[in-house]
Amino acid sequence: MTSPRDAAAADFLPDLVSAALKAGADAAEAVTAQRASLSVGVRNGTLEDVEREESRDLGLRVFIGRRQATVSASDLSEATRARLVERAVAMARLAPEDPYAGLAPEDRLARGPFVDLDLYDPSERSAAELEAAAAEAEAAALAVPGVAKSEGGHASTSSSRWRMVTSHGFDGAYQGSAFSLGAGVIAEKDGAMERGGEHRAVRHLSDLPSAQSIGDFAGRRAVARTGPRKIASTTAPVIFENRVAMQVISPLVGAIAGPSIARGTSFLKDKLGQRVLPEGVDLIDDPFRPRGLGSTPFDDEGVAVTRQALVEDGVLTTWLLNSSAAAQLGLASTGHASRGLAGPPGVSTHNLHLAPGDRDLAGLMSDAGTGLLITSMFGPSLNGNTGDWSAGVSGFWFENGELAWPVSEVTVAGKLIDLYARLQRGSDLEFRGSSNSPSLLFDAVAIAGK
């Protein structure tokens, strides 16, 4: 697989920005995204698919006054770049005015040299090595007693590079790598089948768990779910396992996104500076975590990023702002702009985590006594204005602090602002992705069963 380390032998981004200005734009920004990836899937020990991708794409955003337009292309020839500039400027002239459109303020831009976040591992895995790892993970999962069928093993490796240049002096780039491995199987008991799987992704190959451990966990996960019972509707303590707990916190993140606040469509729109989580609870966004899957030296408008407690001691401290949302609200960008190659930026967090408590999962179950441990969720529903939330779930019923039996076809529901006020954290925080939470306990949650 080709590494993007020496990407852009033809360094055309500054020239592209200059060409846009000469064509009539008042301001412009250009980005390139390069990616090389290789993925392999196996099923029952036999190679099932191999996918290789090498791409280099370009995005251009131009401004004429408060009118803006974006265009993108994967053909980076000189002739295409010229047409791209011509088209973008023509589109901007016809676009409606947006009073908040514009490049990020110069005083908010990140300045180099940028910190090295150790996001890139030059290690390469061949298709044969990926196939072997995927097959080993699948075999380990199939070896677990009770596992009946394989849904496949899969492994991949990728590298990417992102660069942005603007007409007001920003020029930044960074590169990253990713290595992943996973397996999925089906366990059977008394004619009923349950799925289980495990998947891990890391920046550095040396951080990837062994294929044996990934496959064994996937198999045991599937077997543990067999023979589920239905339960009657009730109100009881509910624990969200750390692997799914962030799905309960993510609506909070969406509710503090600047665009939602500017539109007035958030159930937290009046909560800035107020307590939204229990005392002592912190929700941290850290773009500088070494080897983090969401780490970045600057946001997607070139704005400087910082480690921030979005919620500190339970109190909401900030909105998530890009430059446009900040201008609408009379505030400054918080360095959370997020964009692809086409369209104006939105907002997103970087490496988000809820700080852990001091009780492990067993401790939470012991304190709760009897209730529902949720290990998977699907079909969540949220009313963004009111915070009314529900989700289909499955997991385990526990009694006297011990797992009793698996449970499926259950729905949990509540008003998030009320649930958040009663949140209790476990100590089992794991940094598995770009958003992470320990297990979370909520007392007296409405459970809809049979």
Side-chain angles (χ1 to χ4, degrees):
M1 184 176 62
T2 302
S3 164
R5 176 184 295 275
D6 299 319
D11 185 9
F12 56 75
L13 286 190
D15 292 340
L16 190 69
V17 169
S18 296
L21 299 181
K22 291 178 182 176
D26 297 318
E29 66 180 18
V31 296
T32 51
Q34 297 156 81
R35 175 177 168 82
S37 67
L38 177 63
S39 63
V40 173
V42 302
R43 188 185 294 268
N44 296 319
T46 301
L47 181 65
E48 188 170 59
D49 58 76
V50 179
E51 294 185 6
R52 182 186 297 271
E53 174 196 355
E54 293 193 17
S55 62
R56 188 169 175 207
D57 301 309
L58 167 69
L60 175 66
R61 184 163 66 133
V62 303
F63 301 86
I64 296 178
R66 292 296 180 179
R67 306 174 190 270
Q68 66 175 317
T70 60
V71 292
S72 62
S74 54
D75 173 8
L76 306 188
S77 66
E78 185 175 350
T80 297
R81 300 199 306 268
R83 287 195 298 272
L84 212 62
V85 169
E86 180 182 351
R87 187 177 305 132
V89 172
M91 290 169 59
R93 288 195 172 105
L94 296 174
E97 285 205 9
D98 178 351
Y100 308 110
L103 296 177
E106 286 189 52
D107 62 356
R108 303 294 298 169
L109 295 179
R111 303 297 180 185
F114 302 112
V115 61
D116 180 7
L117 300 174
D118 199 16
L119 306 181
Y120 182 71
D121 178 0
S123 301
E124 295 191 9
R125 301 188 93 179
S126 66
E129 290 171 324
L130 292 173
E131 181 183 357
E136 183 181 353
E138 181 193 46
L142 287 170
V144 175
V147 171
K149 299 179 181 179
S150 173
E151 292 192 312
H154 45 89
S156 71
T157 177
S158 65
S159 59
S160 60
R161 186 176 190 269
W162 171 275
R163 185 185 179 196
M164 181 167 67
V165 173
T166 72
S167 58
H168 64 344
F170 179 82
D171 189 343
Y174 63 95
Q175 60 184 3
S177 55
F179 302 86
S180 73
L181 180 61
V185 290
I186 297 174
E188 185 174 2
K189 181 179 180 180
D190 300 329
M193 297 184 178
E194 293 291 331
R195 287 185 168 88
E198 172 69 330
H199 176 267
R200 295 299 299 270
V202 295
R203 290 288 192 181
H204 282 241
L205 181 58
S206 60
D207 295 333
L208 192 65
S210 70
Q212 174 67 35
S213 67
I214 287 175
D216 182 68
F217 184 90
R220 289 187 288 109
R221 190 90 164 173
V223 171
R225 292 175 173 173
T226 56
R229 305 184 191 179
K230 296 181 181 180
I231 59 174
S233 297
T234 186
T235 297
V238 168
I239 298 174
F240 293 86
E241 185 189 42
N242 58 0
R243 292 165 180 257
V244 299
M246 205 63 200
Q247 294 184 53
V248 187
I249 301 299
S250 58
L252 184 155
V253 179
I256 65 172
S260 295
I261 300 302
R263 291 192 301 268
T265 57
S266 166
F267 67 94
L268 295 179
K269 63 184 177 182
D270 300 319
K271 297 297 184 180
L272 188 64
Q274 299 182 32
R275 192 172 302 284
V276 295
L277 295 177
E279 184 177 353
V281 177
D282 295 338
L283 181 63
I284 308 295
D285 189 33
D286 183 7
F288 299 129
R289 183 181 304 135
R291 303 190 181 187
L293 289 175
S295 297
T296 179
F298 49 84
D299 82 353
D300 287 355
E301 290 182 310
V303 170
V305 293
T306 59
R307 186 181 190 274
Q308 301 178 55
L310 308 182
V311 176
E312 186 171 15
D313 193 24
V315 175
L316 180 61
T317 66
T318 185
W319 307 129
L320 302 178
L321 301 174
N322 57 22
S323 295
S324 175
Q328 285 180 267
L329 296 169
L331 300 169
S333 171
T334 57
H336 287 101
S338 174
R339 60 165 295 182
L341 294 172
V347 298
S348 72
T349 54
H350 305 296
N351 290 303
L352 186 71
H353 76 273
L354 192 74
D358 55 10
R359 292 171 294 171
D360 61 12
L361 180 57
L364 292 180
M365 292 171 59
S366 177
D367 290 347
T370 296
L372 178 64
L373 170 64
I374 293 172
T375 59
S376 64
M377 298 173 58
F378 51 92
S381 174
L382 172 69
N383 183 319
N385 286 301
T386 65
D388 291 320
W389 176 87
S390 65
V393 302
S394 62
F396 299 88
W397 190 254
F398 61 91
E399 295 180 344
N400 300 316
E402 301 290 337
L403 294 181
W405 59 76
V407 172
S408 65
E409 298 183 33
V410 175
T411 299
V412 294
K415 189 176 286 289
L416 286 176
I417 198 70
D418 297 333
L419 289 176
Y420 290 154
R422 309 198 309 274
L423 174 152
Q424 300 179 54
R425 298 162 293 151
S427 61
D428 54 350
L429 174 68
E430 297 178 351
F431 292 106
R432 297 172 54 89
S434 58
S435 295
N436 304 278
S437 170
S439 295
L440 300 177
L441 165 63
F442 301 88
D443 63 357
V445 177
I447 302 171
K450 61 183 179 180

